[in-house]
Amino acid sequence: MNLDRIRNLSIVAHVDHGKSTLSDRILELTGAVDARDMREQYLDSMDIERERGITIKAQNVRVEWKGHTIHLIDTPGHVDFGYEVSRSLAACEGVVLVVDAAQGIEAQTLANAYQALENDLEIVAALNKIDLPAADPDRYAAEIEKVLGVPADQILRISAKTGFGVADLLDAIVERIPPPKGDPDLPLQGLIFDSYYDQYRGVVSAIRIVNGSLTAGARLRFLQAGRTHDVEEIGIRTPLNVPVAALGPGEVGYLIAGIKDVGEARSGETVTDAGRPAAKALEGYEDPKPMVFCGLYPVEGDDFANLREALEKLRLNDASVTYEPETSGALGFGFRCGFLGLLHMEIVRERLEREFDLSLIATAPSVEYRAHLTDGSTVEVHNPSEMPEPQTLDSIEEPYLQATILSPTEYTGTLMDLCQSRRGDMVRMEYLSPERLELVYRIPLAEVVMDFFDALKSRTKGYASLDYESAGWAQAELVKIDVLLNGVPVDAFSAIVHRSEAQEYGRRMTERLRGLIPRQMFDVPIQAAVGGRIIARETVKAKRKDVLAKCYGGDITRKRKLLEKQKEGKKRMKNIGRVEVPQEAFIQALRLEE
Amino acid sequence: MSPASRPAGGDFGVYVHVPFCTRRCDYCAFATWTDRFHLVDAYVEACVVAARRRLDPARPATSVFFGGGTPSLLAPGAVGRILAAVPAAAGAEITVECNPESVDRDKLRGYRDVGVTRLSFGVQSMVDHVLVSLGRDHAPDSVLRAVEAAGDAGFADSYNVDLIMGAAGESVDDFASSLDQVLGLDPAPAHVSAYGLTVEPGTPLAAAPGRHPDPDDQADKYLLADQRLAAAGLEWYEISNWARPGSSCRHNLLYWSQGEYEGLGCAAHSHSVDPRTGRARRWWNVRTPERYVKLVGQGGSGESAAEVLEPPARLQEAMELALRTRAGVPQGALPGWGTDESLDGLVELHGDHLVLTSRGRLLANEVAVRLA
């Protein structure tokens, strides 16, 4: 294929700014999908994606426009999947930046746009939803010019909903985005930028050919995974899968090579010809690194084996999830799981429950800590129970983020309060326009994991947006806090928190449990402790009344059944420090924590 | 007494359910209706027919209990027609539940004339605002009049007062005042039942969590009731019942000793024991008066459903019931006694039986689940 006739691009947009709708319009306008077969958000295939209006797994499609081949390379739309975004961008020569004409650019879109600029990608900017009464395209065009240097008069105005301006956008793509470069005669170098597991075909990867040619029947070498596989099928998505005999430089398509585990075809993997291998892999590959951890337990103890099987299956499709068996006195047998971020955690949990019909309890999310011991060794702590005893500890380090917040300027004060209360240090503050502000903070990941995003949204009526990236480690005054029931620690509620927040956490947890632990035959102290020192205490007073008032002819059967139920219930309770606790109380306490 | 040793042909009770009320209290989950007075005559007739059909003159009733609903809405003649159909032993206890508002001297004399020996008044409280809160339609004054009439009609030593503890807005002082006023009635009651207000599913009360009773408040009131009633010479003999010596309710004791009884009328429960197998059968009638009238008219018994209790289940139930009474349970029935510290202070040894203390009565369910 003539390289000059190819355009590879990614649509970059904030959640709800109209990326999926724009994709739908492009599919229609280029004739890729018959209007009859059209359904909304055609390219978002997972139920969760459609419901939440976000894209998790990238979908790619090839369309034809006025003699040119355009590859639309979808990108995941959430900050948890930043690495996947970077690999998708590495497969492009340009991006189409879609910004809501009533809201302006959001933090994450800006971060992705900066990333595109760093990679020397051409930016075609479009203000979408100009049909909305609240649209203010002039204002936001000026803002985009200021922050990204895209001349305001080159910014297109479109309505993906009505189709207005979409043809002009396609023309602009062809005119402004440069064609790919690549040498068909060099050894094959293909970049895998997304993979998913299909139960019938195995792993299906999205691939961009950089140099050389990928042919059906070739034997391939996967350079990072160090594996060799034979091509079973290559093809293009139009958006239906159409097998082809070969893919040349600049082309984007799919690859099926009998792989059973997406971990062997990760984003960023370089594919080459086993018989004539390229000298080196393409740049930019990173191993997945879980950032957020939580314990997942089946509500029904019998489901433990099913949960293990579900996690094994899920991992075939999502190599970034990690899991290890873990036991909790309160919750029984479960798994300590690692995720790329909070949304990723939520999605995995939801998929486990939905696709595998499980009912799960999740413990409060935590991050990884590095505990440096007095003997000079270092322990990685993924779970409060792994925290070494205080007397053996020299220091603890925690992971930090650099967080970028874009917000209307009226919320500057409340946002600075929020960041400071979450132990953030300001890196910089910049006005994008008289009305919009960029705030950059260095902030502990653990603070963001808690409920930072919700707090940010509620303090700014939803107007602020957030992006973040890893920013190394720093030492902090962290303590392990235990929650004790009648003097016995309940592992599910242990947490690692900053010393300044221990009191508040302890107070909150003890109060919450007081409301959830049923009254017993004796007073039950609920305490929060740091290293043996009690910092908060509540008491569940002994119950005084548990009797049926009436017991006449019609009540006797009922009373017997009630007592049977009460006896049964007692058997099912967890016994912690002589306290009978229904599983439901733990579940409730952890749900409230979310 | 354990079921195995209970002699066949002991006490036998008859319960007659009267499902009519002039208004429905919002905590009530019984089978009662306020809009079916046109059915009263047919219903009484059905009870008469059922009594003739089901009761064996060779097994005369030692107790008859008219419960409801509001049995005192029945005229003495109607009560008399039913009683005429019920073979009764000499000296049988025959009780009618009464709403203080719906009785006067003539009616009570009429009841006495047709054989009634005992009355039970649904007083609930002697404090105006508490009665309003319970959705009752009588005033405290009507209780004074009703009790005076009961004395005149010959029930001076054989009437009961029902009280409820824990209505929304009822203070401990309000309850203490109700107790004092009840104990000060003339003639004074020989029997008092004091019930913790219970939230029954499906009632208007259930739908109003703000008005649900506080168990700690009810515990305080219970202990107060126990003290004041004992001081007035009424001894507790079952969780919610206190009486002068010799004035216990024979019919209710029958329930708690797994005795045999036949229920007449809709939603009434019956119980019989097969002395050969030791198996018990308990059954209950259809819930609505219309259906009961129709089924009896077609020659049926009105039975809706039944359960059979095998001897081990009967023994278990016998212990659960006995535990609630002053008789208590044999020491061996509570194996945890002496080792399980949660039983400390809840039961005490009377001879070779373990009997609930006042604190223990409040936690009777917790003790019951520890029965062997």
Side-chain angles (χ1 to χ4, degrees):
Chain A
M1 184 178 287
N2 183 352
L3 285 169
D4 289 343
R5 293 278 170 179
I6 299 177
R7 299 292 181 273
N8 293 324
L9 62 102
S10 200
I11 302 177
V12 170
H14 189 71
V15 175
D16 287 341
H17 281 203
K19 179 168 73 171
S20 297
T21 313
L22 177 59
S23 304
D24 290 350
R25 270 315 80 66
I26 291 174
L27 292 181
E28 269 177 18
L29 206 59
T30 58
V33 177
D34 205 314
R36 258 184 336 186
D37 299 331
M38 198 64 209
R39 54 173 199 261
E40 276 195 26
Q41 305 185 9
Y42 194 93
L43 297 176
D44 290 347
S45 58
M46 276 201 263
D47 287 347
I48 299 176
E49 293 182 330
R50 288 223 183 91
E51 279 169 27
R52 295 185 178 219
I54 54 169
T55 306
I56 299 157
K57 299 303 286 181
Q59 297 275 13
N60 308 291
V61 63
R62 172 185 291 209
V63 297
E64 301 293 329
W65 183 251
K66 298 185 179 169
H68 289 76
T69 294
I70 298 175
H71 293 119
L72 292 177
I73 292 168
D74 206 358
T75 54
H78 192 274
V79 60
D80 284 357
F81 307 102
Y83 170 72
E84 277 71 11
V85 172
S86 80
R87 292 308 84 206
S88 294
L89 292 183
C92 304
E93 279 73 44
V95 298
V96 168
L97 179 70
V98 179
V99 172
D100 189 318
Q103 293 183 47
I105 197 162
E106 304 284 0
Q108 213 184 303
T109 317
L110 187 61
N112 289 347
Y114 282 148
Q115 211 177 340
L117 286 176
E118 277 165 29
N119 292 339
D120 285 327
L121 304 189
E122 182 67 30
I123 293 181
V124 176
L127 286 160
N128 188 23
K129 309 193 190 179
I130 56 157
D131 53 317
L132 288 183
D136 192 352
D138 290 342
R139 175 176 159 194
Y140 293 116
E143 193 177 280
I144 292 169
E145 176 169 341
K146 172 147 197 238
V147 296
L148 290 170
V150 179
D153 59 3
Q154 283 185 18
I155 298 173
L156 288 98
R157 288 151 192 232
I158 65 169
S159 167
K161 199 171 110 196
T162 65
F164 175 84
V166 176
D168 295 340
L169 178 64
L170 285 165
D171 289 343
I173 287 168
V174 169
E175 280 162 29
R176 295 190 212 157
I177 293 180
K181 297 191 189 79
D183 187 341
D185 299 325
L186 284 177
L188 172 66
Q189 277 180 312
L191 171 71
I192 287 183
F193 57 90
D194 184 46
S195 287
Y196 70 92
Y197 182 81
D198 178 289
Q199 63 177 91
Y200 303 109
R201 315 277 336 244
V203 172
V204 182
S205 301
I207 189 165
R208 152 79 194 262
I209 310 303
V210 177
N211 285 309
S213 169
L214 174 61
T215 50
R219 165 156 289 202
L220 300 177
R221 182 83 188 148
F222 285 58
L223 289 176
Q224 274 90 7
R227 296 294 189 97
T228 303
H229 299 282
D230 291 326
V231 172
E232 281 180 8
E233 183 178 315
I234 54 176
I236 55 172
R237 282 174 51 83
T238 67
L240 298 174
N241 288 0
V242 178
V244 296
L247 289 170
E251 285 196 84
V252 170
Y254 68 87
L255 163 65
I256 298 171
I259 302 170
K260 296 285 170 237
D261 175 354
V262 286
E264 290 179 20
R266 290 241 325 128
S267 296
E269 173 70 71
T270 303
V271 173
T272 189
D273 195 309
R276 190 190 165 215
K280 60 184 181 91
L282 298 161
E283 286 174 10
Y285 178 82
E286 285 172 27
D287 274 323
K289 181 101 186 68
M291 301 266 278
V292 177
F293 300 83
C294 82
L296 286 181
Y297 292 84
V299 168
E300 303 296 335
D302 300 349
D303 271 341
F304 176 74
N306 295 336
L307 175 57
R308 180 198 294 277
E309 203 186 313
L311 281 164
E312 279 165 9
K313 282 192 185 151
L314 189 96
R315 218 183 118 83
L316 293 178
N317 205 353
D318 183 351
S320 51
V321 181
T322 63
Y323 61 95
E324 264 176 44
E326 158 180 284
T327 314
S328 152
L331 304 172
F333 294 101
F335 292 92
R336 193 75 189 166
C337 302
F339 310 93
L340 297 174
L342 276 180
L343 179 78
H344 186 219
M345 177 175 94
E346 238 177 90
I347 288 165
V348 167
R349 180 182 163 183
E350 210 168 307
R351 287 188 59 192
L352 286 171
E353 295 201 316
R354 233 188 248 206
E355 293 169 26
F356 300 93
D357 197 22
L358 292 165
S359 179
L360 298 176
I361 314 168
T363 61
S366 68
V367 303
E368 177 184 337
Y369 296 94
R370 287 180 185 160
H372 301 289
L373 305 187
T374 46
D375 66 6
S377 62
T378 299
V379 180
E380 285 191 355
V381 177
H382 300 99
N383 185 338
S385 68
E386 297 167 353
M387 183 60 88
E389 290 304 311
Q391 59 272 19
T392 67
L393 263 179
D394 180 55
S395 63
I396 307 175
E397 280 186 301
E398 65 176 329
Y400 265 72
L401 295 176
Q402 173 144 317
T404 302
I405 299 167
L406 294 195
S407 167
T409 47
E410 56 189 294
Y411 303 115
T412 311
T414 180
L415 286 172
M416 287 171 68
D417 282 350
L418 174 66
C419 292
Q420 263 146 32
S421 74
R422 301 303 173 94
R423 300 190 284 129
D425 289 322
M426 192 192 281
V427 175
R428 68 168 190 275
M429 176 161 111
E430 200 173 317
Y431 284 87
L432 304 183
S433 68
E435 301 89 27
R436 291 243 293 172
L437 177 81
E438 181 189 49
L439 274 174
V440 181
Y441 271 82
R442 232 178 97 76
I443 191 164
L445 171 61
E447 297 287 342
V448 175
V449 157
M450 280 298 222
D451 58 348
F452 185 81
F453 190 65
D454 290 341
L456 181 90
K457 286 288 176 192
S458 72
R459 282 177 185 229
T460 61
K461 301 201 175 86
Y463 281 112
S465 61
L466 172 71
D467 185 72
Y468 50 77
E469 57 189 18
S470 291
W473 295 74
Q475 203 174 309
E477 281 282 298
L478 298 167
V479 293
K480 180 188 172 200
I481 178 161
D482 289 313
V483 175
L484 299 92
L485 211 52
N486 205 25
V488 176
V490 185
D491 52 12
F493 297 118
S494 293
I496 295 167
V497 299
H498 193 258
R499 188 175 291 283
S500 66
E501 291 155 7
Q503 180 83 37
E504 167 60 20
Y505 178 87
R507 201 186 50 71
R508 209 172 60 234
M509 281 316 288
T510 51
E511 255 176 34
R512 177 175 304 159
L513 283 171
R514 190 196 51 189
L516 292 171
I517 305 279
R519 296 170 72 175
Q520 312 275 315
M521 301 286 277
F522 48 91
D523 283 359
V524 177
I526 301 171
Q527 296 158 305
V530 171
R533 196 170 58 86
I534 304 299
I535 55 168
R537 180 189 163 116
E538 294 280 344
T539 304
V540 177
K541 299 296 281 176
K543 77 167 157 187
R544 297 180 54 203
K545 178 176 173 283
D546 181 1
V547 59
L548 224 61
K550 293 194 178 186
C551 190
Y552 301 113
D555 307 308
I556 295 175
T557 302
R558 200 163 71 120
K559 179 176 107 23
R560 193 186 67 241
K561 289 186 176 156
L562 184 115
L563 288 176
E564 273 165 18
K565 226 172 117 184
Q566 202 163 338
K567 257 190 223 175
E568 265 318 296
K570 266 189 194 296
K571 281 189 207 146
R572 281 203 314 274
M573 301 233 197
K574 306 263 180 186
N575 234 300
I576 294 182
R578 270 186 70 222
V579 182
E580 291 168 344
V581 187
Q583 172 111 329
E584 191 54 33
F586 291 122
I587 297 172
Q588 275 297 104
L590 290 166
R591 291 231 166 104
L592 286 168
E593 187 70 359
E594 281 171 12
Chain B
M1 248 181 287
S2 75
S5 65
R6 198 183 61 76
D11 278 7
F12 175 68
V14 172
Y15 175 78
V16 184
H17 188 69
V18 183
F20 308 105
C21 281
T22 50
R23 74 188 271 185
R24 199 174 171 101
C25 305
D26 73 351
Y27 54 86
C28 176
F30 288 116
T32 87
W33 284 268
T34 56
D35 56 354
R36 311 210 174 162
F37 292 106
H38 56 282
L39 288 174
V40 171
D41 291 342
Y43 184 81
V44 167
E45 202 44 44
C47 290
V48 167
V49 169
R52 291 210 179 104
R53 195 179 286 152
R54 309 233 3 123
L55 300 175
D56 178 2
R59 186 92 195 276
T62 47
S63 63
V64 182
F65 196 103
F66 287 81
T70 310
S72 57
L73 290 175
L74 293 187
V79 171
R81 271 207 305 288
I82 295 171
L83 283 176
V86 175
E93 173 195 273
I94 298 173
T95 306
V96 175
E97 282 186 343
C98 300
N99 180 340
E101 198 70 36
S102 66
V103 296
D104 54 28
R105 185 167 312 165
D106 289 344
K107 185 182 260 181
L108 295 184
R109 278 194 178 137
Y111 286 162
R112 172 60 80 177
D113 291 343
V114 296
V116 174
T117 65
R118 187 174 179 271
L119 303 176
S120 176
F121 287 111
V123 170
Q124 324 310 5
S125 173
M126 291 298 282
V127 177
D128 268 321
H129 74 90
V130 178
L131 287 168
V132 170
S133 160
L134 285 168
R136 301 288 296 190
D137 62 357
H138 68 264
D141 278 358
S142 67
V143 175
L144 305 183
R145 284 194 299 274
V147 164
E148 194 189 339
D152 289 348
F155 298 100
D157 296 319
S158 59
Y159 80 90
N160 165 62
V161 167
D162 278 351
L163 287 175
I164 288 181
M165 303 176 269
E170 182 190 59
S171 67
V172 173
D173 284 347
D174 288 336
F175 181 68
S177 161
S178 288
L179 271 176
D180 290 344
Q181 290 184 61
V182 162
L183 290 171
L185 287 170
D186 184 19
H191 190 290
V192 171
S193 301
Y195 304 106
L197 176 62
T198 304
V199 180
E200 300 291 351
T203 58
L205 178 64
R211 298 198 295 123
H212 289 187
D214 169 45
D216 288 353
D217 170 71
Q218 288 183 307
D220 288 337
K221 288 170 182 167
Y222 184 90
L223 295 177
L224 181 76
D226 192 47
Q227 244 173 37
R228 299 235 171 145
L229 294 169
L234 281 72
E235 290 176 339
W236 88 271
Y237 71 101
E238 194 266 353
I239 299 282
S240 306
N241 290 280
W242 290 260
R244 273 188 223 146
S247 294
S248 304
C249 175
R250 194 171 174 184
H251 187 79
N252 288 339
L253 282 170
L254 190 67
Y255 291 138
W256 303 324
S257 60
Q258 290 189 319
E260 294 183 299
Y261 46 89
E262 174 86 22
L264 302 175
C266 62
H269 285 237
S270 305
H271 178 237
S272 75
V273 182
D274 182 338
R276 281 182 310 109
T277 60
R279 231 181 250 145
R281 184 168 183 278
R282 195 176 279 134
W283 67 98
W284 44 95
N285 293 344
V286 293
R287 191 166 168 85
T288 66
E290 294 89 324
R291 292 206 59 212
Y292 184 76
V293 168
K294 188 172 165 207
L295 287 173
V296 170
Q298 290 168 346
S301 69
E303 179 176 328
S304 159
E307 64 171 355
V308 171
L309 285 154
E310 296 297 333
R314 282 198 71 213
L315 186 60
Q316 177 73 27
E317 196 180 87
M319 291 302 114
E320 290 168 2
L321 289 166
L323 179 70
R324 292 173 60 94
T325 69
R326 192 174 188 83
V329 295
Q331 206 174 323
L334 261 180
W337 187 69
T339 51
D340 180 351
E341 44 190 298
S342 44
L343 288 173
D344 290 355
L346 303 187
V347 286
E348 59 194 12
L349 204 53
H350 289 196
D352 59 355
H353 272 56
L354 287 168
V355 179
L356 293 172
T357 61
S358 50
R359 247 186 71 215
R361 281 179 251 149
L362 281 164
L363 290 166
N365 284 1
E366 280 284 354
V367 180
V369 296
R370 288 168 171 77
L371 287 166

